[in-house]
PDB file of all heavy atoms in Angstrom:
ATOM      1  N   ALA A 126      32.764 -22.933  -1.744  1.00 65.00           N
ATOM      2  CA  ALA A 126      32.953 -21.554  -2.185  1.00 65.00           C
ATOM      3  C   ALA A 126      31.820 -21.132  -3.109  1.00 65.00           C
ATOM      4  O   ALA A 126      31.233 -21.938  -3.833  1.00 65.00           O
ATOM      5  CB  ALA A 126      34.296 -21.422  -2.904  1.00 65.00           C
ATOM      6  N   GLN A 127      31.488 -19.822  -3.084  1.00 63.00           N
ATOM      7  CA  GLN A 127      30.444 -19.305  -3.959  1.00 63.00           C
ATOM      8  C   GLN A 127      30.990 -18.949  -5.334  1.00 63.00           C
ATOM      9  O   GLN A 127      30.273 -19.009  -6.318  1.00 63.00           O
ATOM     10  CB  GLN A 127      29.797 -18.076  -3.318  1.00 63.00           C
ATOM     11  CG  GLN A 127      29.037 -18.365  -2.038  1.00 63.00           C
ATOM     12  CD  GLN A 127      28.282 -17.150  -1.529  1.00 63.00           C
ATOM     13  OE1 GLN A 127      28.219 -16.127  -2.200  1.00 63.00           O
ATOM     14  NE2 GLN A 127      27.719 -17.261  -0.346  1.00 63.00           N
ATOM     15  N   LEU A 128      32.264 -18.564  -5.385  1.00 64.00           N
ATOM     16  CA  LEU A 128      32.903 -18.202  -6.649  1.00 64.00           C
ATOM     17  C   LEU A 128      34.060 -19.151  -6.926  1.00 64.00           C
ATOM     18  O   LEU A 128      34.761 -19.584  -6.006  1.00 64.00           O
ATOM     19  CB  LEU A 128      33.405 -16.759  -6.597  1.00 64.00           C
ATOM     20  CG  LEU A 128      32.350 -15.678  -6.320  1.00 64.00           C
ATOM     21  CD1 LEU A 128      33.016 -14.310  -6.189  1.00 64.00           C
ATOM     22  CD2 LEU A 128      31.300 -15.649  -7.411  1.00 64.00           C
ATOM     23  N   GLU A 129      34.248 -19.435  -8.188  1.00 61.00           N
ATOM     24  CA  GLU A 129      35.300 -20.375  -8.576  1.00 61.00           C
ATOM     25  C   GLU A 129      36.680 -19.858  -8.195  1.00 61.00           C
ATOM     26  O   GLU A 129      37.577 -20.626  -7.821  1.00 61.00           O
ATOM     27  CB  GLU A 129      35.233 -20.616 -10.090  1.00 61.00           C
ATOM     28  CG  GLU A 129      36.048 -21.797 -10.568  1.00 61.00           C
ATOM     29  CD  GLU A 129      35.486 -23.117 -10.078  1.00 61.00           C
ATOM     30  OE1 GLU A 129      34.243 -23.260 -10.070  1.00 61.00           O
ATOM     31  OE2 GLU A 129      36.284 -23.986  -9.698  1.00 61.00           O
ATOM     32  N   LYS A 130      36.870 -18.556  -8.240  1.00 62.00           N
ATOM     33  CA  LYS A 130      38.185 -18.001  -7.916  1.00 62.00           C
ATOM     34  C   LYS A 130      38.513 -18.107  -6.429  1.00 62.00           C
ATOM     35  O   LYS A 130      39.679 -17.961  -6.043  1.00 62.00           O
ATOM     36  CB  LYS A 130      38.244 -16.539  -8.361  1.00 62.00           C
ATOM     37  CG  LYS A 130      37.265 -15.629  -7.644  1.00 62.00           C
ATOM     38  CD  LYS A 130      37.373 -14.207  -8.163  1.00 62.00           C
ATOM     39  CE  LYS A 130      36.405 -13.276  -7.448  1.00 62.00           C
ATOM     40  NZ  LYS A 130      36.505 -11.883  -7.948  1.00 62.00           N
ATOM     41  N   GLU A 131      37.497 -18.324  -5.592  1.00 63.00           N
ATOM     42  CA  GLU A 131      37.738 -18.471  -4.165  1.00 63.00           C
ATOM     43  C   GLU A 131      38.002 -19.919  -3.773  1.00 63.00           C
ATOM     44  O   GLU A 131      38.309 -20.206  -2.626  1.00 63.00           O
ATOM     45  CB  GLU A 131      36.533 -17.950  -3.371  1.00 63.00           C
ATOM     46  CG  GLU A 131      36.288 -16.456  -3.523  1.00 63.00           C
ATOM     47  CD  GLU A 131      35.107 -15.995  -2.708  1.00 63.00           C
ATOM     48  OE1 GLU A 131      34.396 -16.870  -2.157  1.00 63.00           O
ATOM     49  OE2 GLU A 131      34.892 -14.775  -2.597  1.00 63.00           O
ATOM     50  N   SER A 132      37.821 -20.838  -4.706  1.00 68.00           N
ATOM     51  CA  SER A 132      37.965 -22.265  -4.399  1.00 68.00           C
ATOM     52  C   SER A 132      39.342 -22.770  -4.837  1.00 68.00           C
ATOM     53  O   SER A 132      39.817 -22.450  -5.928  1.00 68.00           O
ATOM     54  CB  SER A 132      36.865 -23.066  -5.098  1.00 68.00           C
ATOM     55  OG  SER A 132      37.050 -24.440  -4.885  1.00 68.00           O
ATOM     56  N   ILE A 133      39.964 -23.551  -3.967  1.00 67.00           N
ATOM     57  CA  ILE A 133      41.269 -24.130  -4.297  1.00 67.00           C
ATOM     58  C   ILE A 133      41.103 -25.379  -5.155  1.00 67.00           C
ATOM     59  O   ILE A 133      41.829 -25.598  -6.127  1.00 67.00           O
ATOM     60  CB  ILE A 133      42.039 -24.460  -3.002  1.00 67.00           C
ATOM     61  CG1 ILE A 133      42.266 -23.175  -2.185  1.00 67.00           C
ATOM     62  CG2 ILE A 133      43.365 -25.122  -3.317  1.00 67.00           C
ATOM     63  CD1 ILE A 133      42.953 -23.410  -0.875  1.00 67.00           C
ATOM     64  N   LEU A 134      40.120 -26.211  -4.788  1.00 70.00           N
ATOM     65  CA  LEU A 134      39.942 -27.497  -5.460  1.00 70.00           C
ATOM     66  C   LEU A 134      38.970 -27.447  -6.627  1.00 70.00           C
ATOM     67  O   LEU A 134      38.729 -28.465  -7.260  1.00 70.00           O
ATOM     68  CB  LEU A 134      39.446 -28.539  -4.446  1.00 70.00           C
ATOM     69  CG  LEU A 134      40.380 -28.838  -3.273  1.00 70.00           C
ATOM     70  CD1 LEU A 134      39.717 -29.817  -2.324  1.00 70.00           C
ATOM     71  CD2 LEU A 134      41.696 -29.408  -3.785  1.00 70.00           C
ATOM     72  N   SER A 135      38.366 -26.305  -6.878  1.00 69.00           N
ATOM     73  CA  SER A 135      37.287 -26.166  -7.859  1.00 69.00           C
ATOM     74  C   SER A 135      35.972 -26.617  -7.204  1.00 69.00           C
ATOM     75  O   SER A 135      35.922 -27.626  -6.486  1.00 69.00           O
ATOM     76  CB  SER A 135      37.539 -26.967  -9.130  1.00 69.00           C
ATOM     77  OG  SER A 135      36.374 -26.995  -9.930  1.00 69.00           O
ATOM     78  N   ILE A 136      34.931 -25.838  -7.451  1.00 65.00           N
ATOM     79  CA  ILE A 136      33.641 -26.094  -6.809  1.00 65.00           C
ATOM     80  C   ILE A 136      33.100 -27.461  -7.197  1.00 65.00           C
ATOM     81  O   ILE A 136      32.638 -28.235  -6.350  1.00 65.00           O
ATOM     82  CB  ILE A 136      32.641 -24.975  -7.189  1.00 65.00           C
ATOM     83  CG1 ILE A 136      33.111 -23.636  -6.615  1.00 65.00           C
ATOM     84  CG2 ILE A 136      31.240 -25.313  -6.685  1.00 65.00           C
ATOM     85  CD1 ILE A 136      32.248 -22.461  -7.014  1.00 65.00           C
ATOM     86  N   GLN A 137      33.179 -27.796  -8.478  1.00 72.00           N
ATOM     87  CA  GLN A 137      32.571 -29.037  -8.946  1.00 72.00           C
ATOM     88  C   GLN A 137      33.337 -30.280  -8.491  1.00 72.00           C
ATOM     89  O   GLN A 137      32.765 -31.350  -8.363  1.00 72.00           O
ATOM     90  CB  GLN A 137      32.475 -29.024 -10.475  1.00 72.00           C
ATOM     91  CG  GLN A 137      31.458 -28.028 -11.006  1.00 72.00           C
ATOM     92  CD  GLN A 137      30.065 -28.273 -10.452  1.00 72.00           C
ATOM     93  OE1 GLN A 137      29.647 -29.425 -10.293  1.00 72.00           O
ATOM     94  NE2 GLN A 137      29.352 -27.203 -10.153  1.00 72.00           N
ATOM     95  N   LYS A 138      34.621 -30.154  -8.213  1.00 77.00           N
ATOM     96  CA  LYS A 138      35.374 -31.310  -7.746  1.00 77.00           C
ATOM     97  C   LYS A 138      34.863 -31.807  -6.404  1.00 77.00           C
ATOM     98  O   LYS A 138      34.831 -33.003  -6.131  1.00 77.00           O
ATOM     99  CB  LYS A 138      36.859 -30.967  -7.647  1.00 77.00           C
ATOM    100  CG  LYS A 138      37.586 -30.974  -8.977  1.00 77.00           C
ATOM    101  CD  LYS A 138      39.078 -30.760  -8.779  1.00 77.00           C
ATOM    102  CE  LYS A 138      39.807 -30.801 -10.120  1.00 77.00           C
ATOM    103  NZ  LYS A 138      41.266 -30.599  -9.959  1.00 77.00           N
ATOM    104  N   PHE A 139      34.467 -30.873  -5.547  1.00 77.00           N
ATOM    105  CA  PHE A 139      33.965 -31.300  -4.239  1.00 77.00           C
ATOM    106  C   PHE A 139      32.509 -31.747  -4.313  1.00 77.00           C
ATOM    107  O   PHE A 139      32.013 -32.419  -3.405  1.00 77.00           O
ATOM    108  CB  PHE A 139      34.101 -30.168  -3.226  1.00 77.00           C
ATOM    109  CG  PHE A 139      33.799 -30.577  -1.810  1.00 77.00           C
ATOM    110  CD1 PHE A 139      34.661 -31.401  -1.108  1.00 77.00           C
ATOM    111  CD2 PHE A 139      32.630 -30.167  -1.189  1.00 77.00           C
ATOM    112  CE1 PHE A 139      34.382 -31.791   0.183  1.00 77.00           C
ATOM    113  CE2 PHE A 139      32.342 -30.550   0.103  1.00 77.00           C
ATOM    114  CZ  PHE A 139      33.222 -31.364   0.798  1.00 77.00           C
ATOM    115  N   GLU A 140      31.822 -31.387  -5.387  1.00 80.00           N
ATOM    116  CA  GLU A 140      30.429 -31.819  -5.512  1.00 80.00           C
ATOM    117  C   GLU A 140      30.348 -33.319  -5.782  1.00 80.00           C
ATOM    118  O   GLU A 140      29.342 -33.949  -5.475  1.00 80.00           O
ATOM    119  CB  GLU A 140      29.731 -31.041  -6.634  1.00 80.00           C
ATOM    120  CG  GLU A 140      29.525 -29.569  -6.320  1.00 80.00           C
ATOM    121  CD  GLU A 140      28.762 -29.349  -5.030  1.00 80.00           C
ATOM    122  OE1 GLU A 140      27.759 -30.056  -4.808  1.00 80.00           O
ATOM    123  OE2 GLU A 140      29.177 -28.491  -4.238  1.00 80.00           O
ATOM    124  N   ALA A 141      31.378 -33.894  -6.354  1.00 83.00           N
ATOM    125  CA  ALA A 141      31.361 -35.340  -6.611  1.00 83.00           C
ATOM    126  C   ALA A 141      31.277 -36.145  -5.319  1.00 83.00           C
ATOM    127  O   ALA A 141      30.411 -37.028  -5.179  1.00 83.00           O
ATOM    128  CB  ALA A 141      32.594 -35.723  -7.428  1.00 83.00           C
ATOM    129  N   PRO A 142      32.149 -35.915  -4.318  1.00 86.00           N
ATOM    130  CA  PRO A 142      31.966 -36.641  -3.056  1.00 86.00           C
ATOM    131  C   PRO A 142      30.672 -36.281  -2.339  1.00 86.00           C
ATOM    132  O   PRO A 142      30.142 -37.094  -1.578  1.00 86.00           O
ATOM    133  CB  PRO A 142      33.191 -36.237  -2.229  1.00 86.00           C
ATOM    134  CG  PRO A 142      33.745 -35.027  -2.871  1.00 86.00           C
ATOM    135  CD  PRO A 142      33.407 -35.135  -4.323  1.00 86.00           C
TER     136      PRO A 142
END
Side-chain angles (χ1 to χ4, degrees):
Q127 294 187 7
L128 301 176
E129 193 68 40
K130 63 181 180 180
E131 295 181 352
S132 176
I133 299 177
L134 298 177
S135 169
I136 295 176
Q137 290 303 321
K138 281 186 179 180
F139 188 71
E140 291 304 316

